[in-house]
């Protein structure tokens, strides 16, 4: 029998990839049938409410599968999520008009150079952090700030919840640290090991993430490497 210590990261990554692939099929089947039932209509409000709960559950399942897919690709040495370079402010300003997990205000330092490598990743990571706000702060809202610091673009996500405890901040974005976060109000655990998934997807574009703040002012800070804007070839 193969012992856990004999399973390397590459093998585990491939197994996770298979699980993600296999689980996407039943998730798609459930989603398609929910769409059909919503289209034809149900007889009573209770049935419609139950169907909406199924829809929300499937959406959460798909979100979790996306994160497992990132981790799978990272373990096998691939870029977790291909992401275009660009102006981070342009990508994130759209959040105020989008259906986000919690209401959000976006503050962008327009005079700064906000063009970054893998900037499109910012949307996925910030969305993940907004889910963290919703899970840890009922009826909460968040502020997203984008600015330049040296040769990096910084994205801050702040809410009025309890910040990650100082002794957990280094481990919070590691695989082994997820168990320590679970069950603590100052752990800010994200479903589907979301904080680890955020670190993984950022690692693929040379970015990092850290936790900061205090009770009533929790902060997640994302760093993306700055990049030069691409210019179209001259005629």
């Amino acid at each position: 029998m193969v012992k856990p210590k004999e399973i390397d990261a590459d093998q585990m990554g491939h197994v996770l990839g298979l699980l993600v692939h296999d689980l996407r099929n039943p998730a798609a089947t459930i989603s398609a049938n929910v769409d059909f039932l919503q289209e034809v209509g149900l007889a009573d409000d209770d049935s419609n409410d139950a169907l909406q709960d199924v829809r929300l559950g499937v959406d959460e399942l798909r979100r979790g599968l996306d994160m497992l897919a990132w981790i799978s690709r990272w373990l096998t040495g691939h870029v977790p999520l291909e992401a275009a370079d660009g102006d981070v402010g342009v990508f994130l300003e759209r959040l105020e008009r989008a259906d986000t997990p919690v209401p959000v205000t976006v503050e962008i330092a327009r005079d700064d150079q906000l063009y970054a490598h893998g900037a499109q990743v910012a949307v996925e990571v910030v969305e993940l952090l907004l889910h963290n706000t919703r899970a840890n702060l009922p009826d909460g809202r968040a502020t997203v700030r984008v600015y330049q610091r040296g040769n990096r673009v910084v994205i801050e996500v702040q809410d009025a919840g309890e910040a990650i405890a100082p002794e957990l901040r280094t481990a919070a974005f590691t695989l082994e640290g997820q168990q320590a976060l679970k069950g603590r109000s100052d752990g800010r655990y994200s479903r589907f090991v979301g904080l680890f998934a955020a670190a993984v997807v950022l690692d693929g574009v040379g970015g990092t993430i850290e936790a900061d703040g205090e009770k009533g002012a929790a902060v997640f800070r994302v760093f993306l490497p700055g990049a030069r804007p691409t210019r179209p070839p001259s005629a």
Side-chain angles (χ1 to χ4, degrees):
M1 183 177 194
V2 177
K3 297 179 180 179
K5 67 180 181 180
E6 297 172 352
I7 301 175
D8 65 20
D10 187 67
Q11 290 173 328
M12 180 58 69
H14 283 295
V15 169
L16 283 178
L18 289 173
L19 288 174
V20 169
H21 179 270
D22 291 345
L23 287 169
R24 286 197 195 279
N25 289 326
T29 300
I30 296 170
S31 183
N33 281 280
V34 168
D35 288 342
F36 170 74
L37 291 173
Q38 287 182 325
E39 184 177 340
V40 300
L42 295 176
D44 59 85
D45 290 340
D46 288 342
S47 297
N48 281 306
D49 289 343
L51 195 60
Q52 183 61 27
D53 288 342
V54 174
R55 160 69 68 195
L56 293 174
V58 173
D59 288 346
E60 275 291 277
L61 174 60
R62 285 179 159 176
R63 192 169 71 86
L65 289 173
D66 285 342
M67 288 189 233
L68 287 180
W70 297 346
I71 294 169
S72 167
R73 288 193 286 267
W74 178 76
L75 286 170
T76 54
H78 295 87
V79 174
L81 181 63
E82 296 289 347
D85 297 352
D87 187 316
V88 178
V90 170
F91 281 118
L92 293 181
E93 67 182 355
R94 303 168 187 165
L95 289 174
E96 290 188 313
R97 304 186 297 275
D99 182 18
T100 51
V102 296
V104 61
T105 300
V106 181
E107 300 175 0
I108 300 170
R110 299 288 183 182
D111 293 336
D112 286 358
Q113 171 53 258
L114 302 178
Y115 204 90
H117 180 61
Q120 198 171 14
V121 157
V123 177
E124 299 288 348
V125 173
V126 169
E127 181 86 6
L128 188 157
L129 295 175
L130 295 178
H131 276 283
N132 182 279
T133 294
R134 186 177 72 177
N136 290 278
L137 189 64
D139 301 319
R141 60 177 300 113
T143 300
V144 177
R145 299 183 180 91
V146 186
Y147 58 91
Q148 180 184 13
R149 180 185 293 176
N151 62 354
R152 297 188 293 180
V153 176
V154 184
I155 306 150
E156 285 187 356
V157 179
Q158 180 175 336
D159 62 40
E162 188 166 358
I164 292 180
E167 68 271 18
L168 294 175
R169 290 177 185 177
T170 299
F173 306 102
T174 66
L175 181 60
E176 60 272 19
Q178 301 310 297
Q179 187 63 40
L181 303 183
K182 186 75 170 176
R184 288 184 55 162
S185 62
D186 60 357
R188 297 291 298 242
Y189 174 79
S190 278
R191 188 178 290 180
F192 314 117
V193 296
L195 295 184
F196 175 61
V200 162
V201 77
L202 285 167
D203 182 66
V205 296
T208 57
I209 184 170
E210 67 180 22
D212 201 354
E214 57 190 6
K215 188 172 184 178
V219 176
F220 290 103
R221 195 171 291 117
V222 172
F223 300 90
L224 290 174
R228 291 181 177 274
T230 54
R231 299 180 182 276
S234 56

